[in-house]
């Protein structure tokens, strides 16, 4: 039995205030994610846990190379064919969050670490709650693998896309390692 994890709507939105900003909805694991690019970098991936209000998001027919590359690479990842991403990301955040997000990128495919371990890796061993908050603020879920960070004691921990999506992503990785 074949399961399709990634479907996408071939339409994008261009910000009328800044024509360099483009947003595209993508269906992932039964939920919608909005991919947003500016120029030649992805600037945000946001899970939409409920259907976005169509009056807020309107989309125009326009191709965008960065978003197309992200869609392809995420599709390959979900199919178990990709373990790393090469989509250019524009990371913006506090110094602490940038440390956390950059360290998360080093967690190997198919492995998990705890929030406490991540805090230790960035040199802030008592800041595991702040690390958990930084994981929740990750602007690039999947591409920066915050789903690989779990709670102590074998608990899954939180995830901005919901626990079911986090478990599905970990299952995909465990099946393909």
């Amino acid at each position: 039995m074949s399961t399709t994890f990634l479907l996408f709507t071939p339409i994008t939105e261009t910000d009328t205030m800044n024509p360099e900003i483009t947003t595209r909805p993508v269906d992932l694991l039964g939920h919608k994610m909005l991919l947003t690019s500016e120029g030649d970098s992805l600037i945000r991936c946001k899970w939409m846990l409920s259907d976005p209000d169509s009056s807020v998001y309107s989309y125009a027919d326009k191709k965008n190379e960065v978003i197309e590359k992200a869609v392809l690479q995420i599709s390959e990842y979900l199919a178990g064919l990709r373990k790393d991403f090469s989509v250019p990301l524009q990371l913006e955040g506090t110094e602490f969050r940038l440390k956390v997000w950059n360290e998360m990128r080093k967690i190997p495919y198919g492995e998990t670490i705890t929030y406490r371990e991540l805090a230790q890796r960035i040199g802030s061993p008592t800041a595991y709650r702040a690390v958990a908050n930084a994981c929740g603020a990750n602007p690039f879920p999947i591409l920066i693998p915050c789903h690989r960070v779990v709670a102590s004691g074998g608990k899954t921990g939180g995830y901005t896309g919901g626990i079911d999506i986090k478990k599905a992503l970990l299952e995909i990785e465990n099946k393909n390692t």
Side-chain angles (χ1 to χ4, degrees):
M1 183 172 140
S2 174
T3 304
T4 301
F5 291 105
L6 177 70
L7 300 171
F8 59 89
T9 310
I11 51 179
T12 58
E13 171 191 19
T14 300
D15 186 322
T16 55
M17 299 296 285
N18 183 349
E20 289 290 310
I21 295 179
T22 303
T23 301
R24 177 172 169 185
V26 180
D27 291 322
L28 301 171
L29 302 169
H31 296 281
K32 193 169 295 296
M33 178 182 272
L34 293 179
L35 301 177
T36 303
S37 70
E38 181 175 18
D40 58 0
S41 296
L42 209 58
I43 60 170
R44 183 123 179 105
C45 300
K46 181 177 180 175
W47 286 108
M48 303 300 291
L49 299 180
S50 60
D51 287 333
D53 181 356
S54 61
S55 65
V56 175
Y57 298 103
S58 61
Y59 303 97
D61 213 359
K62 181 183 174 194
K63 289 246 184 209
N64 179 284
E65 287 181 38
V66 175
I67 291 177
E68 298 298 321
K69 183 176 185 176
V71 168
L72 174 64
Q73 290 187 12
I74 293 170
S75 178
E76 291 170 345
Y77 165 81
L78 293 173
L81 303 173
R82 174 176 287 278
K83 296 181 180 184
D84 297 302
F85 299 97
S86 62
V87 177
L89 306 177
Q90 184 179 334
L91 272 177
E92 293 182 9
T94 65
E95 183 179 337
F96 181 82
R97 285 183 174 181
L98 291 170
K99 265 189 189 175
V100 171
W101 298 334
N102 284 318
E103 192 62 34
M104 279 192 297
R105 295 171 99 171
K106 298 175 187 175
I107 303 169
Y109 181 94
E111 294 182 23
T112 59
I113 65 170
T114 65
Y115 297 106
R116 186 178 304 273
E117 288 174 274
L118 184 53
Q120 291 168 346
R121 287 186 183 189
I122 64 164
S124 301
T126 60
Y128 52 89
R129 287 185 181 161
V131 164
N133 287 334
C135 289
N138 175 11
F140 301 102
I142 300 177
L143 301 173
I144 296 178
C146 54
H147 60 277
R148 296 180 190 154
V149 185
V150 297
S152 297
K155 295 179 183 166
T156 307
Y159 188 68
T160 58
I163 299 300
D164 290 341
I165 292 177
K166 184 173 187 171
K167 288 179 179 177
L169 295 172
L170 293 172
E171 185 177 313
I172 288 167
E173 292 187 14
N174 288 332
K175 187 173 76 173
N176 293 297
T177 51

